[in-house]
Amino acid sequence: MPGLLRGAVRTAVVAGTATAVSQRVARRQQGRWAQQDYGQAPVQEPAPAAPPAAPPPAAPTADMAGKLEQLKQLGELKEQGILTDEEFQTQKRAVLGG
Protein backbone atom coordinates (compact mmCIF):
# COMPACT_ATOMS: atom_id res chain seq x y z
CA MET A 1 0.00 0.00 0.00
CA PRO A 2 2.82 2.56 0.73
CA GLY A 3 4.12 2.15 -2.84
CA LEU A 4 0.68 2.85 -4.24
CA LEU A 5 0.30 5.94 -2.07
CA ARG A 6 3.77 7.18 -3.05
CA GLY A 7 2.89 6.73 -6.73
CA ALA A 8 -0.37 8.63 -6.31
CA VAL A 9 1.38 11.49 -4.53
CA ARG A 10 4.08 11.67 -7.19
CA THR A 11 1.43 11.75 -9.93
CA ALA A 12 -0.43 14.55 -8.14
CA VAL A 13 2.76 16.61 -7.79
CA VAL A 14 3.70 16.15 -11.44
CA ALA A 15 0.17 16.98 -12.59
CA GLY A 16 0.04 20.07 -10.38
CA THR A 17 3.40 21.31 -11.65
CA ALA A 18 2.41 20.70 -15.25
CA THR A 19 -0.86 22.58 -14.74
CA ALA A 20 0.90 25.56 -13.19
CA VAL A 21 3.47 25.74 -16.01
CA SER A 22 0.79 25.34 -18.64
CA GLN A 23 -1.29 28.16 -17.17
CA ARG A 24 1.74 30.46 -17.02
CA VAL A 25 2.61 29.77 -20.65
CA ALA A 26 -1.01 30.37 -21.67
CA ARG A 27 -1.10 33.73 -19.83
CA ARG A 28 2.16 34.86 -21.46
CA GLN A 29 0.95 33.82 -24.91
CA GLN A 30 -2.41 35.52 -24.39
CA GLY A 31 -0.59 38.72 -23.40
CA ARG A 32 1.52 38.59 -26.53
CA TRP A 33 -1.51 38.04 -28.74
CA ALA A 34 -3.34 40.93 -27.08
CA GLN A 35 -0.40 43.25 -27.71
CA GLN A 36 -0.18 42.16 -31.35
CA ASP A 37 -3.89 42.91 -31.77
CA TYR A 38 -3.18 46.49 -30.69
CA GLY A 39 -0.10 46.74 -32.93
CA GLN A 40 2.30 46.89 -30.01
CA ALA A 41 5.59 45.10 -29.69
CA PRO A 42 5.50 42.24 -27.23
CA VAL A 43 6.80 43.06 -23.79
CA GLN A 44 9.58 40.81 -22.64
CA GLU A 45 9.74 39.56 -19.11
CA PRO A 46 12.38 41.30 -17.02
CA ALA A 47 15.65 39.46 -16.62
CA PRO A 48 16.29 37.94 -13.21
CA ALA A 49 17.90 40.36 -10.82
CA ALA A 50 21.68 40.15 -10.59
CA PRO A 51 23.13 39.27 -7.22
CA PRO A 52 24.18 42.30 -5.20
CA ALA A 53 27.73 43.45 -5.74
CA ALA A 54 30.30 42.77 -3.07
CA PRO A 55 30.59 45.64 -0.59
CA PRO A 56 33.63 47.87 -1.03
CA PRO A 57 36.53 47.17 1.30
CA ALA A 58 36.06 48.82 4.65
CA ALA A 59 38.20 51.77 5.62
CA PRO A 60 41.12 50.78 7.84
CA THR A 61 40.15 50.73 11.46
CA ALA A 62 42.27 52.27 14.18
CA ASP A 63 43.67 48.81 14.93
CA MET A 64 44.57 48.24 11.27
CA ALA A 65 46.10 51.71 11.01
CA GLY A 66 48.30 50.92 14.01
CA LYS A 67 49.41 47.64 12.44
CA LEU A 68 50.23 49.40 9.16
CA GLU A 69 52.32 51.96 11.02
CA GLN A 70 54.22 49.21 12.87
CA LEU A 71 54.89 47.42 9.58
CA LYS A 72 56.21 50.63 8.02
CA GLN A 73 58.55 51.11 10.97
CA LEU A 74 59.75 47.51 10.71
CA GLY A 75 60.37 48.01 6.98
CA GLU A 76 62.43 51.12 7.68
CA LEU A 77 64.47 49.29 10.33
CA LYS A 78 65.14 46.49 7.86
CA GLU A 79 66.21 48.96 5.15
CA GLN A 80 68.59 50.62 7.61
CA GLY A 81 70.14 47.23 8.36
CA ILE A 82 69.05 47.25 12.00
CA LEU A 83 66.84 44.15 11.50
CA THR A 84 67.83 41.02 9.61
CA ASP A 85 65.38 39.35 7.22
CA GLU A 86 64.64 36.69 9.84
CA GLU A 87 63.99 39.27 12.58
CA PHE A 88 61.81 41.29 10.21
CA GLN A 89 59.69 38.22 9.31
CA THR A 90 59.35 37.28 12.99
CA GLN A 91 58.23 40.78 13.97
CA LYS A 92 55.89 41.02 10.98
CA ARG A 93 54.16 37.77 12.00
CA ALA A 94 53.82 39.09 15.56
CA VAL A 95 52.22 42.32 14.33
CA LEU A 96 49.83 40.53 11.99
CA GLY A 97 48.94 37.96 14.64
CA GLY A 98 50.05 34.96 12.62
Side-chain angles (χ1 to χ4, degrees):
M1 190 67 166
L4 182 62
L5 182 61
R6 187 176 327 155
V9 169
R10 181 178 296 147
T11 302
V13 170
V14 170
T17 302
T19 301
V21 171
S22 173
Q23 288 174 350
R24 181 169 182 247
V25 169
R27 281 194 305 269
R28 285 178 51 201
Q29 190 64 39
Q30 186 178 12
R32 287 181 182 162
W33 288 337
Q35 288 174 351
Q36 287 176 354
D37 287 344
Y38 292 114
Q40 299 174 349
V43 175
Q44 294 184 1
E45 290 188 25
T61 61
D63 183 48
M64 181 60 76
K67 288 181 181 182
L68 288 174
E69 186 60 37
Q70 287 179 335
L71 290 173
K72 286 180 187 177
Q73 290 173 355
L74 288 173
E76 291 171 4
L77 291 173
K78 181 183 171 199
E79 287 178 3
Q80 295 171 2
I82 298 172
L83 291 178
T84 64
D85 286 337
E86 185 179 318
E87 291 170 328
F88 173 76
Q89 292 298 330
T90 302
Q91 293 298 319
K92 183 172 86 169
R93 274 189 239 111
V95 168
L96 296 176

